[in-house]
Amino acid sequence: MSNELKTTWRSPSNIALVKYWGKKAGVQIPANASISFTLEHCYSETTVTLTPKAKKTKDIELRFYFDGKANMAFQIKLLRFFESIRKDFSLLQTHGLLIHSTNSFPHSSGIASSASAMSALALCLCDLQQQLDGKKLSDEKFYQKASHYARLGSGSAARSVYPLAASWGKTNSIKGSSDAVATAYGKNLNKVFHDFQNTILIASSAEKKVSSRVGHSLMKTNPFAKVRYTQAAKNLKELLVALKKGDLQKFGSIVEEEAMTLHALMMCSNPSFILMAPSTLLMIEKIRAFREKTGLPVYFTLDAGPNIHLLYPKSISKKVDAFIYGHLEQYCEQGKMIHDNVGKGPYRVKA
Ligand code: PMV
């Protein structure tokens, strides 16, 4: 139809190096500042088509398809999200939305898709709204706006809109940092991190027993919360130096401490919960032993789930591949893994 308006964005997932875990009062305000690498191959691709509403109605008109199939569960979640931002997007009043979304990674891989999905959707909304308004924002303002709405959809999604690396959360260590939007951090990275590898070893693809939303809220009563937030600030400050210098040893020790702390916090929450699998621990032991034996800079981090994110410089990929296929593949669920790397951020897909 001629008065249809349509856009497609591809937006990647990200992996936190200093973790966001716990919220302050307000809507998606992080209790501590975090920083992540933006990935490349794990992404969501979302197309939003706008059609002028046939009748004047306040109701949000939405049809949502995931992997080509109507998905009611997601549609209901999205409707709630759109209700919360409707005053900021006149397109929600004037147009009906048809949304098609897909992920590059298998749905059942245990990889969280909220960061890529919500950032892709926010980019589509901001793009379409500016097309309707006929006012083009500067790139800086456009990505800030997209980061803001991505954050309202899913906190960590705020960081996915920038290439290479992004921080999120107010901190004295990063100029211009904010709780409301992420800050691009790619320009401050040493070259070695520009093509850093991130192999995701799938320990289990089973659905999480406890959602991130519940995990964040349990930090309110966690007896170690205050110490954790002090530690996060210190780790962030020191990590920034390592990221700039290319100090891999320091990078690795902070990143692993962050992963272990995240999961320790889950275990000592009340109620306590465990998101690691037995094979997660077996792989951690193997990675540490391999590093000790070879001296190679191979490190791990974990998301809020059992899968290992193996982090290493591209220059040692061959040796690490031999280690992965020789010693880690056997602990992955059906040998499943995803080879990813630091990426260039989201982009609009040409029609
Ligand atoms: O964005 P959320 O609410 O799914 O929380 C993400 C939390 C972690 O992935 C564990 C850490 C992070 O900073 O991404």
Side-chain angles (χ1 to χ4, degrees):
M1 247 193 290
S2 60
N3 47 3
E4 263 185 15
L5 210 54
K6 185 173 170 174
T7 193
T8 300
W9 280 80
R10 180 179 284 193
S11 190
S13 187
N14 67 73
I15 178 69
L17 305 170
V18 171
K19 311 290 180 183
Y20 144 59
W21 199 239
K23 301 182 194 192
K24 286 196 284 216
V27 187
Q28 304 275 63
I29 304 297
N32 66 273
S34 57
I35 189 163
S36 55
F37 279 152
T38 305
L39 299 181
E40 180 173 356
H41 300 298
C42 290
Y43 61 81
S44 296
E45 195 169 294
T46 300
T47 301
V48 179
T49 309
L50 296 182
T51 313
K53 283 183 183 170
K55 277 190 281 181
K56 231 183 170 180
T57 157
K58 279 210 169 116
D59 295 341
I60 292 173
E61 289 177 7
L62 168 66
R63 278 177 299 148
F64 179 79
Y65 292 79
F66 184 74
D67 278 346
K69 287 196 211 92
N71 188 313
M72 258 305 147
F74 279 134
Q75 181 162 317
I76 291 166
K77 278 191 192 163
L78 283 181
L79 265 176
R80 223 174 289 143
F81 172 59
F82 288 157
E83 286 293 351
S84 72
I85 60 168
R86 68 183 299 152
K87 62 175 188 336
D88 303 341
F89 287 90
S90 66
L91 63 82
L92 294 171
Q93 329 283 338
T94 54
H95 290 73
L97 287 84
L98 170 65
I99 304 179
H100 277 275
S101 199
T102 57
N103 289 342
S104 64
F105 41 98
H107 192 46
S108 60
S109 64
I111 308 284
S113 60
S114 60
S116 54
M118 292 317 294
S119 55
L121 182 62
L123 286 155
C124 287
L125 289 182
C126 294
D127 178 3
L128 290 169
Q129 188 64 57
Q130 78 169 2
Q131 286 189 44
L132 278 176
D133 294 346
K135 264 192 266 157
K136 197 170 165 4
L137 298 172
S138 66
D139 275 359
E140 193 187 341
K141 286 264 173 326
F142 176 79
Y143 285 103
Q144 255 175 23
K145 186 172 172 186
S147 177
H148 174 85
Y149 290 103
R151 176 197 120 230
L152 295 180
S154 166
S156 58
R159 298 185 309 241
S160 270
V161 307
Y162 292 117
L164 307 178
S167 73
W168 170 45
K170 182 91 193 102
T171 164
N172 291 335
S173 303
I174 299 174
K175 213 171 136 225
S177 59
S178 152
D179 284 345
V181 292
T183 305
Y185 204 75
K187 288 207 175 97
N188 306 299
L189 293 191
N190 184 283
K191 273 266 176 278
V192 70
F193 294 113
H194 285 215
D195 55 3
F196 224 61
Q197 304 296 294
N198 175 24
T199 300
I200 309 168
L201 303 156
I202 310 296
S204 165
S205 62
E207 202 172 314
K208 277 196 275 183
K209 286 171 289 207
V210 177
S211 68
S212 293
R213 190 178 53 79
V214 171
H216 287 295
S217 74
L218 287 173
M219 281 302 282
K220 289 202 184 94
T221 51
N222 191 302
F224 301 103
K226 207 168 155 218
V227 192
R228 160 59 190 158
Y229 300 136
T230 309
Q231 177 205 39
K234 179 174 178 280
N235 277 351
L236 180 65
K237 192 172 175 196
E238 291 180 7
L239 183 66
L240 299 183
V241 179
L243 287 173
K244 190 170 180 169
K245 281 198 196 153
D247 182 343
L248 294 182
Q249 218 183 339
K250 189 76 191 162
F251 166 85
S253 90
I254 295 171
V255 162
E256 291 193 354
E257 182 179 289
E258 281 289 314
M260 293 311 245
T261 301
L262 172 69
H263 285 262
L265 288 165
M266 296 174 190
M267 288 188 236
C268 64
S269 287
N270 185 7
S272 155
F273 61 106
I274 301 175
L275 292 186
M276 287 197 277
S279 50
T280 313
L281 294 173
L282 290 169
M283 286 196 268
I284 289 175
E285 295 285 25
K286 291 277 173 199
I287 294 161
R288 286 180 167 168
F290 176 73
R291 193 166 63 225
E292 200 125 294
K293 194 170 131 207
T294 62
L296 290 171
V298 183
Y299 305 100
F300 69 85
T301 187
L302 300 162
D303 235 333
N307 304 324
I308 300 263
H309 287 246
L310 202 63
L311 294 161
Y312 51 96
K314 191 169 184 201
S315 58
I316 61 164
S317 286
K318 264 210 173 123
K319 286 181 183 145
V320 179
D321 268 357
F323 166 56
I324 291 173
Y325 289 105
H327 301 275
L328 299 178
E329 189 188 19
Q330 57 191 293
Y331 299 110
C332 297
E333 188 184 78
Q334 293 160 356
K336 275 192 269 178
M337 63 182 86
I338 299 173
H339 292 279
D340 209 338
N341 49 262
V342 169
K344 296 190 173 56
Y347 63 90
R348 188 180 170 179
V349 179
K350 288 205 180 83

